[in-house]
Amino acid sequence: MKILIINGPNLNLLGKREVNVYGNQSFESFFTAVQKKYSNINLEYYQSNSEGKLLDKIHEVGFTFDGIVLNAGAYTHTSVALADAISGITTPVIEVHISNVFKREQFRHHSFISPVCVGTIAGFGLDSYILAIESLLLKETENINSPS
Ligand code: DQA
């Protein structure tokens, strides 16, 4: 099973950025622990601050990977292009947010990508990524168990 975690703008600053909202762990150290926990799956990670690079990555893996866990950061609230990219691929995408965006400013309540993602997980800190991976694993188990 191949899963790619994609982080969008400013998420390279996790651990240093607004620690009261996003916590003090860097994504790199979290990702090392997650790879250990899920040593049976092929888990990769990509981060970019550039919308175009995020689109390119989604296009690159979106027909071969089994799942994408996407924290699009602020592009969540602005990007029709990301929504179109997700619509255009076959790999299921789970939308993730570290913070509970619905407890925050009004402009964070709207997501352009929610309608084209399988589901959204928000507000569980970095565990939001774990819950997204678990949801993809559950889907895979369902597919194995359901008669074709
Ligand atoms: C975020 C929430 C977004 O509103 C914000 O712009 C981010 C991070 C989150 O993970 O909580 O950069 O996606």
Side-chain angles (χ1 to χ4, degrees):
M1 182 165 202
K2 274 180 128 177
I3 296 177
L4 176 66
I5 297 176
I6 302 181
N7 273 344
N10 301 311
L11 292 163
N12 53 312
L13 295 181
L14 283 177
K16 297 182 201 146
R17 164 196 190 202
E18 296 177 86
V19 292
N20 55 322
V21 179
Y22 300 113
N24 53 19
Q25 189 172 8
S26 73
F27 197 82
E28 286 68 22
S29 80
F30 171 71
F31 184 63
T32 304
V34 175
Q35 271 184 316
K36 263 195 200 142
K37 179 175 165 69
Y38 294 102
S39 54
N40 53 330
I41 59 180
N42 181 341
L43 202 53
E44 294 178 26
Y45 167 55
Y46 178 79
Q47 191 276 331
S48 179
N49 293 318
S50 145
E51 190 173 9
K53 285 189 181 161
L54 295 170
L55 296 173
D56 289 342
K57 190 47 113 178
I58 290 168
H59 298 170
E60 184 191 315
V61 304
F63 297 90
T64 51
F65 274 52
D66 301 297
I68 296 174
V69 173
L70 173 63
N71 186 344
Y75 291 143
T76 305
H77 318 299
T78 61
S79 180
V80 175
L82 269 180
D84 284 350
I86 296 165
S87 295
I89 59 169
T90 53
T91 298
V93 179
I94 315 291
E95 176 184 2
V96 154
H97 299 286
I98 297 164
S99 64
N100 182 350
V101 283
F102 299 103
K103 269 192 188 167
R104 301 181 65 194
E105 304 94 322
Q106 189 72 32
F107 68 84
R108 295 187 205 275
H109 297 185
H110 179 259
S111 165
F112 278 99
I113 65 171
S114 290
V116 292
C117 287
V118 178
T120 302
I121 298 165
F124 295 92
L126 291 174
D127 284 345
S128 293
Y129 293 89
I130 304 267
L131 294 169
I133 293 166
E134 286 294 334
S135 78
L136 288 166
L137 291 174
L138 274 177
K139 262 270 156 286
E140 193 191 45
T141 315
E142 269 170 31
N143 290 342
I144 292 165
N145 291 339
S146 63
S148 50

